[in-house]
Amino acid sequence: MSTETLNQQVPAGTWTLDPVHSSIQFGITHSGVATFRSGFKQFDASLTGGEAPKLVGSVEAASIDIEEEQFKGHLLSPEFFDTEQHPRLKFSSTELVVDDEGKVRLSGELEIRGQTHEVNAVGKFGQVGAYLDGRERIGLSVEAGIDRREFGLNWNADLPSGGKALEYEVAINVELQFVPEAE
């Protein structure tokens, strides 16, 4: 089967996010021994289907899902997301390709802290004709890796036993479910 069959499975029209069935999460190795995982509570995305599908979205950086106040404050500070100056993370696709088997190649511009870089992701695409509520749904599940230093997220600390507190590579996992835009 050809992987060049473009987007036969992305229906035409505009699709809006179903936030209840969607999530944006990340993981980063902490202290060299385990992966710390978290996500964001407030985000939005839309998908335009057809011959040239386009995914756009944004995340409210201050909605990071961290309960510990001091830790969250550090992540919102200028040492990390600098939410006072840069309240949103943004993404806009430049290419979204779905092959005959539902595998996705997604490329686009990711903006964090006012710095924009090309990001490539892979994953899968799914579609259901009608859910329990009778509405059609489509899903997009993708993973990407970024070097956080490219976006100005440079903070780190030396550990007393050697090594660094945080790795620079961050894994991003995005699970999005869409419904047709209300007419």
Side-chain angles (χ1 to χ4, degrees):
M1 285 190 184
S2 169
T3 59
E4 295 306 310
T5 302
L6 298 181
N7 305 298
Q8 287 185 348
Q9 299 159 330
V10 180
T14 302
W15 296 81
T16 59
L17 186 71
D18 172 0
V20 173
H21 297 102
S22 300
S23 64
I24 298 178
Q25 300 184 329
F26 64 89
I28 185 167
T29 302
H30 180 265
S31 301
V33 295
T35 300
F36 171 78
R37 297 183 196 284
S38 188
F40 297 93
K41 295 179 180 180
Q42 296 176 340
F43 53 90
D44 195 24
S46 66
L47 177 63
T48 305
E51 288 193 31
K54 178 116 178 129
L55 174 68
V56 295
S58 66
V59 171
E60 296 296 324
S63 75
I64 193 165
D65 192 10
I66 306 286
E67 296 298 322
E68 205 281 316
E69 237 178 88
Q70 186 174 354
F71 181 26
K72 183 172 183 172
H74 187 215
L75 292 177
L76 301 181
S77 79
E79 289 188 315
F80 276 96
F81 288 110
D82 193 8
T83 57
E84 197 168 301
Q85 296 297 317
H86 308 284
R88 286 178 199 78
L89 291 69
K90 300 174 187 174
F91 179 81
S92 180
S93 68
T94 54
E95 179 182 52
L96 195 165
V97 177
V98 180
D99 74 13
D100 289 340
E101 297 171 353
K103 293 179 183 171
V104 171
R105 269 191 348 253
L106 176 66
S107 297
E109 300 291 325
L110 177 62
E111 179 184 323
I112 302 174
R113 290 180 51 109
Q115 298 185 38
T116 304
H117 294 280
E118 178 85 9
V119 173
N120 297 300
V122 295
K124 62 183 179 173
F125 176 86
Q127 180 177 359
V128 63
Y131 187 62
L132 298 173
D133 61 4
R135 294 178 79 189
E136 187 175 3
R137 292 180 186 263
I138 57 178
L140 185 63
S141 175
V142 294
E143 297 179 353
I146 63 167
D147 183 329
R148 63 188 176 89
R149 295 172 291 188
E150 291 180 347
F151 298 93
L153 300 169
N154 299 315
W155 182 90
N156 220 332
D158 293 324
L159 298 174
S161 59
K164 297 287 187 183
L166 295 174
E167 293 291 326
Y168 291 109
E169 189 73 20
V170 178
I172 300 171
N173 298 310
V174 178
E175 301 286 339
L176 302 175
Q177 193 170 122
F178 295 94
V179 295
E181 184 176 62
E183 296 179 12

